[in-house]
Amino acid sequence: MKSFDILCIGSVLWDIIGRTRRDMHYGADMPGIIRRIPGGVAMNIAMTFRRFDITPAILTHIGSDREGDELLTACRDLGIVTDHVYRTQDLATDSYMAIEDPNGLVAAIADAHSLERVGNAILAPLANGEIGSAGTPFEGIIALDGNLTTELLSEIAASPLFARSDLRVAPASPGKAERLKALYRHPNVTLYVNLEEAGLICDTTFGSSAEAAAGLIAHGAGRVLVTDGPRSASEATGPDVLTATPPSVKSQRVTGAGDTFLAAHVAAERDGASRSDALNFALHAAAKYVSGESPQ
């Protein structure tokens, strides 16, 4: 077994991303570029950790098909530890398809059914001694993906396997943001959400990241980071809210920006950065990603 620094749990799949330089509308057919690249929330976070010289391991499901073999090879080539990946013969490797124009995401479809169907089978290494057990739970940082089912997130919140973990949680999409409520019971959870997701979790509409961060804390969260695109981002630890403004850049891509923000923030805190410095470091890393300056 290879050693690792941080554990990433959740979706690892193929992203099929189509980008065009022209504005899109319903039914539009535009020239552009289509790429297939490793993706998924857990994978995007893991890839960003590698850019900061942090070695992540992934807990996920990957099918025993050609696409799965190619995806595992891509992970290993990037320096991501795959020793603990759960594989099956009867479920295909998941995928995500998105279309982006100069204004951002136009539409996307996430096919993460295999991850949802295997449930807690992906967590076996945390119980069987490979990574941890009920008697000696894993004590490091875990980046957790909101693609997991509400039932599994609830199990994680109450499980002794995660009792000593530092959970950093990202929603898979606004449509799945409400699942994160299940994690409020865990004492060491940090939620990373955007303004829309914060509103969905609290069943309201917020006017700013600072308002949303305070609202999530009032709603029962212990620590949150809320982004609002190019406008602002706020971190709240209890009632103390800190806000910063990201650098202005021309958007070249948006898929994976939130995952980059989370990984950069974790990397900065791991290096001992202050709350303010960690927030600004994450904003600058996400801006470089959106501008196309940093690699994908």
Side-chain angles (χ1 to χ4, degrees):
M1 297 289 181
K2 296 179 181 178
S3 60
F4 60 90
D5 301 315
I6 287 177
L7 194 57
C8 299
I9 303 177
S11 59
V12 176
L13 45 74
W14 283 113
D15 274 348
I16 298 93
I17 310 294
R19 295 190 178 100
T20 178
R21 295 183 178 179
R22 303 182 184 180
D23 290 350
M24 298 283 287
H25 58 80
Y26 184 80
D29 185 346
M30 297 290 185
I33 296 174
I34 299 173
R35 297 178 63 200
R36 186 185 78 155
I37 55 176
V41 173
M43 183 63 180
N44 290 335
I45 293 170
M47 288 190 293
T48 306
F49 282 142
R50 288 301 301 134
R51 294 204 293 273
F52 298 120
D53 201 28
I54 295 171
T55 300
I58 51 175
L59 291 186
T60 189
H61 170 268
I62 294 178
S64 297
D65 48 15
R66 184 185 67 182
E67 290 80 6
D69 292 341
E70 293 172 349
L71 186 54
L72 275 178
T73 297
C75 290
R76 292 164 182 157
D77 288 346
L78 289 166
I80 297 169
V81 175
T82 62
D83 297 344
H84 311 287
V85 170
Y86 180 64
R87 306 193 73 184
T88 61
Q89 296 290 335
D90 58 328
L91 295 173
T93 298
D94 289 337
S95 59
Y96 171 88
M97 179 173 61
I99 296 174
E100 299 177 358
D101 72 2
N103 300 307
L105 181 66
V106 176
I109 296 175
D111 181 356
H113 293 93
S114 75
L115 182 66
E116 294 189 352
R117 286 182 62 184
V118 299
N120 64 8
I122 65 171
L123 304 180
L126 287 164
N128 63 18
E130 290 182 25
I131 296 176
S133 66
T136 55
F138 180 74
E139 296 186 6
I141 296 173
I142 296 178
L144 192 62
D145 174 358
N147 266 308
L148 304 180
T149 64
T150 302
E151 292 74 19
L152 186 52
L153 291 173
S154 296
E155 179 182 330
I156 288 171
S159 172
L161 301 177
F162 294 85
R164 300 178 187 172
S165 300
D166 178 355
L167 295 181
R168 307 299 182 101
V169 187
S173 65
K176 297 179 180 179
E178 292 185 66
R179 297 183 182 189
L180 304 189
K181 294 178 183 178
L183 293 166
Y184 279 2
R185 289 175 292 165
H186 193 284
N188 301 315
V189 167
T190 302
L191 301 182
Y192 294 76
V193 298
N194 63 32
L195 192 69
E196 179 185 3
E197 291 158 350
L200 289 169
I201 292 172
C202 297
D203 193 26
T204 189
T205 300
F206 294 114
S208 68
S209 65
E211 182 184 338
L216 284 165
I217 295 297
H219 201 256
R223 186 185 185 213
V224 299
L225 284 97
V226 181
T227 57
D228 184 19
R231 286 165 289 279
S232 68
S234 298
E235 187 256 20
T237 301
D240 186 11
V241 180
L242 179 69
T243 299
T245 302
S248 178
V249 296
K250 184 177 180 180
S251 176
Q252 298 294 326
R253 60 190 180 193
V254 293
T255 300
D259 306 325
T260 298
F261 176 85
L262 181 153
H265 186 260
V266 171
E269 290 200 325
R270 192 170 177 268
D271 286 341
S274 67
R275 287 176 61 204
S276 177
D277 288 346
L279 178 58
N280 279 288
F281 181 81
L283 285 172
H284 280 77
K288 286 183 179 180
Y289 177 88
V290 169
S291 71
E293 183 179 339
S294 63
Q296 180 151 11

